[in-house]
Amino acid sequence: MATITEVSKTFKLGGELEIHRLGYGAMRITGKGIWGEPADREAAKKVLRRAVELGVDFIDTADSYGPTVSEPLIGEALAPYAQGTVIATKGGLTRQGPDRWLPVGRPEYLTQQVEMSLRFLKRDTLDLWQLHRIDPQVPVEESLGAIKKLQAAGKIRFVGLSEVTVEQIKQARKTVEIVSVQNEYNLGNRKSEAVLEYCEREGLAFIPWFPVAAGKLAQPGGKLDTLAKQHDATVSQLSLAWLLHRSPVMLPIPGTSSVAHLEENMKAAQLTLSDAEWKDLEAAAK
């Protein structure tokens, strides 16, 4: 566990791209079930632009968000991009309807999707491309072999993985250099603890999706709620602050379709607790 003095506000992705550790996840700017257009496209663009105004320089999306809704919105709202803005996207999940996701890792499909992402995001190079899921029907060497070729062609700068085990990361690294891992992780869900510890040892970024604790832990009157109120904060802010405190390789990407909620989330980077309070919070979560 990092101490307050050890926590850096930035992280160098791939050892090169320095970004603020609290980013923005662009999944929620689509329709219900992450399907179709948002209720208000202009409002979605305002959220994206406000994120950049607030200092966010790491935005995470995927070709399957919509599908092909989130990426075009980012391109329309933010291109030409502010200097230093890093856009991460993902490929490898297909959509069959609201809340339905199936992996496809065939090399020709992933190659097509990278080209589409470049077009929608209005980029010449994807800063970070992540394999959204490993397809159990396609050897990961084949999937990432195609990505390595695109990287060599200058279309992808860095490569990451999503929802993987330590062994899967090690296997993937035999084909292409991996700089980041995106797994589900929050104060109440620590199933990826071993993956996080591996990322710390290897200097890989760990991007927690679903970063805000939910369920019993976040209920009104609970430990998280009580501690948040003591610091004039929200449960969301405290959840995000804990992630930033938990590890220097952690890059939380809270998502929202509301400017007010976005502004609230970004204040989490300024929230500090004593070591005793962090330990108390840990104990409550366990």
Side-chain angles (χ1 to χ4, degrees), residues 26-28 30-36 64-67 95 97-99 101:
M27 184 171 75
R28 299 292 173 189
T30 62
K32 187 176 181 181
I34 323 304
W35 183 259
S64 56
Y65 294 167
R95 303 301 305 280
D99 293 317
W101 316 74

Side-chain angles (χ1 to χ4, degrees), residues 2 40 163 180 262 283:
D40 187 334
E163 277 309 298
S180 67
L262 169 74

Side-chain angles (χ1 to χ4, degrees), residues 130-268:
Q130 304 152 95
L131 182 60
H132 211 158
R133 292 293 186 277
I134 292 176
D135 185 343
Q137 299 185 52
V138 180
V140 71
E141 295 82 3
E142 291 184 18
S143 298
L144 293 178
I147 296 307
K148 187 175 183 178
K149 290 178 182 177
L150 291 164
Q151 188 178 40
K155 296 186 177 184
I156 293 171
R157 184 164 181 181
F158 293 119
V159 179
L161 302 169
S162 181
E163 277 309 298
V164 286
T165 64
V166 171
E167 288 308 311
Q168 287 173 323
I169 303 169
K170 290 179 178 177
Q171 185 68 22
R173 293 178 84 183
K174 294 176 183 178
T175 300
V176 67
E177 182 182 356
I178 299 297
V179 306
S180 67
V181 175
Q182 185 167 158
N183 278 18
E184 183 176 5
Y185 187 90
N186 58 55
L187 186 57
N189 181 344
R190 312 277 288 279
K191 290 184 290 186
S192 287
E193 203 70 48
V195 174
L196 171 58
E197 290 170 0
Y198 176 83
C199 289
E200 289 177 327
R201 291 194 301 271
E202 298 296 315
L204 308 181
F206 185 92
I207 306 168
W209 64 269
F210 199 7
V212 176
K216 186 178 180 181
L217 185 63
Q219 286 179 354
K223 191 68 187 180
L224 197 55
D225 180 53
T226 301
L227 191 55
K229 287 177 179 173
Q230 288 173 1
H231 287 268
D232 193 26
T234 66
V235 167
S236 292
Q237 288 171 334
L238 189 57
S239 296
L240 295 169
W242 177 81
L243 287 170
L244 292 168
H245 178 79
R246 170 63 186 85
S247 172
V249 305
M250 190 84 73
L251 306 180
I253 47 166
T256 179
S257 58
S258 157
V259 168
H261 191 206
L262 169 74
E263 292 173 344
E264 175 188 295
N265 284 340
M266 290 303 109
K267 291 177 183 176

Side-chain angles (χ1 to χ4, degrees), residues 111-129:
T111 300
Q112 167 189 290
Q113 294 308 105
V114 167
E115 295 290 355
M116 297 298 286
S117 292
L118 286 165
R119 185 199 301 179
F120 288 139
L121 290 167
K122 301 182 180 180
R123 307 281 280 203
D124 295 323
T125 302
L126 299 175
D127 299 314
L128 173 63
W129 183 92

